[in-house]
Amino acid sequence: MRNLILCSVICAVFVLMIASCQTADNLERDMYYTNGRDIYIKHCQNCHGAKGEGLAALTPPLTDTVFLKANKQKLACIIKNGLKGEIVVHGKSFNDQMPPNGTMADIDIAQVIVYITNANGNNQGMYTPAQVAADLAACR
Amino acid sequence: MVTLRYSIISCIAGLLLLSSCKESPKLPIFGEREAKTVTRADGTKGVDTVYQTIPAFSFLNQDSTPITNATFKDKIYIADFFFTTCPSICPIMHRNMKAIYDDYKDNPDLMFLSHTIDYKYDKPSVLKKYAEKLGVDGKKWEFAYGPKAEVYKLAETGYLSTVIEDKTAAGGYVHQGYLILVDKDRRIRGAYDGTNDEQVAQLKKDIPVLLAEYKK
């Protein structure tokens, strides 16, 4: 009887261990997310806020999941080159300038994009430096 | 008999201790001070401490109307230096100031004064747009525009806050992110780093303390 209990406990532990293992993809995404959060705090948070809430009508929030999904291919260009002109986020118009971050490397941009598109209600998964490089090549 | 006496003494001591605690805390007064001979109200002469005060100023606000010290008469106010295109610390300073502004919306004793240090771009019309976008309306929060020499001198000598034009800095200006608390007698009673959550929390605690000083 005792052996049976012991055996089932050990079995359960093994099953839990295997279940808790992350896939390689998830692990990479989580690493990008964590590094991206540090970059966000340093370069983005002053204006966009700790929870991506934005600042009144001056800075748009990063909680509009539809906007971020529809404009995902433009994010790298916006981060690197800044933004001018009107955009509509959450149904509100924003028309101030976002300063460029010209010195940011592709991998930094990829990490911050992974953070932005997976935090504050977003859930878009991984984004690679190669995708960022392709996006930047197509900047207008 | 002895125990009765002891208990009376300890009672009195206890009362004294309690009453000494009633003295409400006061904020420190910053800046230079000097002893001056003054004439009192009853005509006698005596020596009193004279504290540094915010010098007289005259600027245009976001509505292009002049504002001076008289605008802030009988108010305590929070002052800071910023510019509207500031990419670094200003948004977080004004995020924090806006939260205090919202808390005290209905209290006429507290005002806000933001001096722009970008004398080239931040004309009153630009300040007006900025204020509207920040969600500030009315006369409680003034945004002041003035010539470089006057604003920078006021920052340095009046508010003990450094402002420098620097082409190499992001945005073109270097400035300290202090939120400066000024009392009704134009004296500086506190300076808090507007980008630091702990210091902003301290400012929120100190405002009622300063307001209480003027309650009679």
Side-chain angles (χ1 to χ4, degrees):
Chain A
M1 186 59 197
R2 185 187 282 178
N3 276 348
L4 183 67
I5 293 172
L6 206 63
C7 190
S8 54
V9 166
I10 289 169
C11 277
V13 168
F14 262 109
V15 168
L16 280 176
M17 278 171 74
I18 290 164
S20 70
C21 270
Q22 290 176 306
T23 62
D25 281 353
N26 281 348
L27 185 66
E28 194 179 26
R29 187 201 64 199
D30 289 351
M31 280 164 60
Y32 270 57
Y33 182 91
T34 313
N35 291 334
R37 187 173 58 197
D38 289 342
I39 297 169
Y40 178 84
I41 289 169
K42 206 170 151 204
H43 293 281
C44 321
Q45 185 169 300
N46 270 339
C47 296
H48 287 290
K51 296 186 189 106
E53 73 272 29
L55 178 56
L58 290 163
T59 311
L62 300 171
T63 52
D64 187 340
T65 53
V66 177
F67 180 93
L68 286 183
K69 208 160 202 161
N71 292 282
K72 192 159 191 182
Q73 262 83 47
K74 292 184 196 155
L75 294 181
C77 297
I78 294 173
I79 292 165
K80 183 131 187 162
N81 302 327
L83 187 64
K84 241 183 195 175
E86 190 190 16
I87 57 167
V88 176
V89 179
H90 270 319
K92 275 167 69 183
S93 161
F94 293 85
N95 199 358
D96 279 282
Q97 273 188 48
M98 169 169 157
N101 290 279
T103 56
M104 251 192 213
D106 289 359
I107 185 157
D108 295 334
I109 294 175
Q111 286 171 343
V112 86
I113 286 178
V114 168
Y115 176 71
I116 290 169
T117 55
N118 289 284
N120 309 314
N122 296 283
N123 185 17
Q124 294 195 43
M126 182 60 187
Y127 212 64
T128 63
Q131 285 170 295
V132 168
D135 290 345
L136 288 177
C139 278
R140 270 175 293 141
Chain B
M1 190 59 199
V2 177
T3 48
L4 180 66
R5 194 177 289 168
Y6 270 128
S7 63
I8 289 173
I9 289 173
S10 53
C11 262
I12 291 171
L15 278 177
L16 279 175
L17 273 172
L18 275 179
S19 61
S20 68
C21 289
K22 270 188 186 159
E23 180 85 11
S24 50
K26 279 196 172 167
L27 303 182
I29 298 170
F30 289 91
E32 308 267 335
R33 62 192 61 188
E34 52 183 327
K36 262 194 184 158
T37 309
V38 292
T39 312
R40 295 202 189 90
D42 57 4
T44 57
K45 295 214 166 186
V47 176
D48 204 356
T49 314
V50 175
Y51 295 97
Q52 180 177 337
T53 55
I54 304 298
F57 60 82
S58 176
F59 298 121
L60 288 181
N61 76 356
Q62 67 268 34
D63 296 316
S64 291
T65 51
I67 52 169
T68 64
N69 302 78
T71 313
F72 298 89
K73 192 172 186 293
D74 290 328
K75 311 276 182 193
I76 73 170
Y77 67 94
I78 299 169
D80 78 331
F81 293 85
F82 87 112
F83 57 106
T84 59
T85 52
C86 169
S88 53
I89 60 176
C90 313
I92 188 90
M93 285 163 66
H94 278 179
R95 185 193 303 281
N96 289 325
M97 243 161 111
K98 177 73 181 355
I100 300 174
Y101 170 87
D102 289 336
D103 286 348
Y104 284 86
K105 227 168 191 165
D106 302 321
N107 188 331
D109 284 342
L110 180 66
M111 284 182 70
F112 299 82
L113 172 58
S114 289
H115 295 276
T116 177
I117 56 172
D118 186 350
Y119 54 97
K120 290 175 197 155
Y121 179 73
D122 283 349
K123 310 290 181 201
S125 59
V126 176
L127 293 175
K128 180 75 180 173
K129 257 186 216 145
Y130 178 86
E132 279 173 357
K133 284 181 180 171
L134 192 61
V136 172
D137 193 20
K139 305 225 164 288
K140 194 174 184 63
W141 190 339
E142 301 282 11
F143 292 82
Y145 165 79
K148 178 183 179 184
E150 274 178 51
V151 176
Y152 286 37
K153 193 175 160 228
L154 182 71
E156 205 136 351
T157 59
Y159 289 99
L160 315 172
S161 190
T162 306
V163 178
I164 304 164
E165 187 174 9
D166 182 352
K167 298 227 161 40
T168 62
Y173 300 89
V174 180
H175 63 126
Q176 291 177 314
Y178 283 116
L179 308 181
I180 299 149
L181 184 61
V182 180
D183 69 13
K184 293 185 181 179
D185 301 301
R186 287 157 59 176
R187 299 174 302 191
I188 297 176
R189 303 300 293 272
Y192 312 82
D193 183 343
T195 64
N196 178 317
D197 285 343
E198 274 171 40
Q199 292 197 28
V200 171
Q202 187 61 46
L203 169 60
K204 284 180 186 166
K205 279 188 212 158
D206 284 354
I207 292 167
V209 174
L210 186 55
L211 283 170
E213 269 186 35
Y214 291 94
K215 273 205 185 105
K216 278 175 191 137

